[in-house]
Amino acid sequence: MDPITPIRQSEGCDIGQLEGHLRLAVGPGLASQVQECYRAFVNECLQRAATRALVVGTARIDEFQHLALRDALRSMALAGLPAGFRLALVAMTPNLIAVYDAVVIEAERHGIEARRFPSEEAAARWLAN
């Protein structure tokens, strides 16, 4: 895998730039930390006019706090994304699978191409196409 250039690092939130896409590793953390992390990620996507993004999530206690990404997608869509924007999601803990599936559905409602993958490698291959 390509080296990651760090953009923002805090507890439970690592945003970085790889060749071809932004990468977010989020969680575990408090609800406020997870929500702030998704807001920061959306901001980076918009500021950098990213066309590809990868979210790798972990939840230990309350996976529903990750629904903040679903809500953030509405803001991304309203702000305007570059043509062909793709979002790949990887749930590192099983309790996040249903949450990320809800994110995929919400993304489709807003014209954002999104998919959930079983591994980061599979997601990176899809983003590279």
Side-chain angles (χ1 to χ4, degrees), residues 85-119:
F85 179 81
R86 283 184 166 188
L87 177 65
L89 305 163
V90 178
M92 297 304 290
T93 50
N95 56 348
L96 268 180
I97 292 171
V99 171
Y100 280 172
D101 285 347
V103 170
V104 168
I105 291 168
E106 185 68 20
E108 291 172 358
R109 286 184 185 140
H110 294 287
I112 299 170
E113 188 176 4
R115 292 188 189 166
R116 184 181 53 79
F117 293 89
S119 70

Side-chain angles (χ1 to χ4, degrees), residues 3 23 38 46 60 65 78 85 90 95 100 118:
R23 180 186 183 274
Y38 284 125
L46 294 171
R60 289 209 178 105
Q65 63 196 5
L78 289 172
F85 179 81
V90 178
N95 56 348
Y100 280 172

Side-chain angles (χ1 to χ4, degrees), residues 16-95:
Q17 177 73 53
L18 282 97
E19 181 79 26
H21 66 272
L22 285 178
R23 180 186 183 274
L24 168 66
V26 58
L30 301 172
S32 60
Q33 292 169 317
V34 170
Q35 292 165 1
E36 173 55 30
C37 186
Y38 284 125
R39 282 192 296 270
F41 177 67
V42 166
N43 184 57
E44 291 297 335
C45 286
L46 294 171
Q47 292 295 320
R48 296 169 184 271
T51 58
R52 302 285 190 264
L54 169 64
V55 174
V56 179
T58 304
R60 289 209 178 105
I61 297 171
D62 183 9
E63 66 274 10
F64 295 109
Q65 63 196 5
H66 287 266
L67 286 172
L69 178 57
R70 180 193 64 188
D71 301 336
L73 288 179
R74 290 184 198 121
S75 298
M76 285 179 84
L78 289 172
L81 291 167
F85 179 81
R86 283 184 166 188
L87 177 65
L89 305 163
V90 178
M92 297 304 290
T93 50
N95 56 348

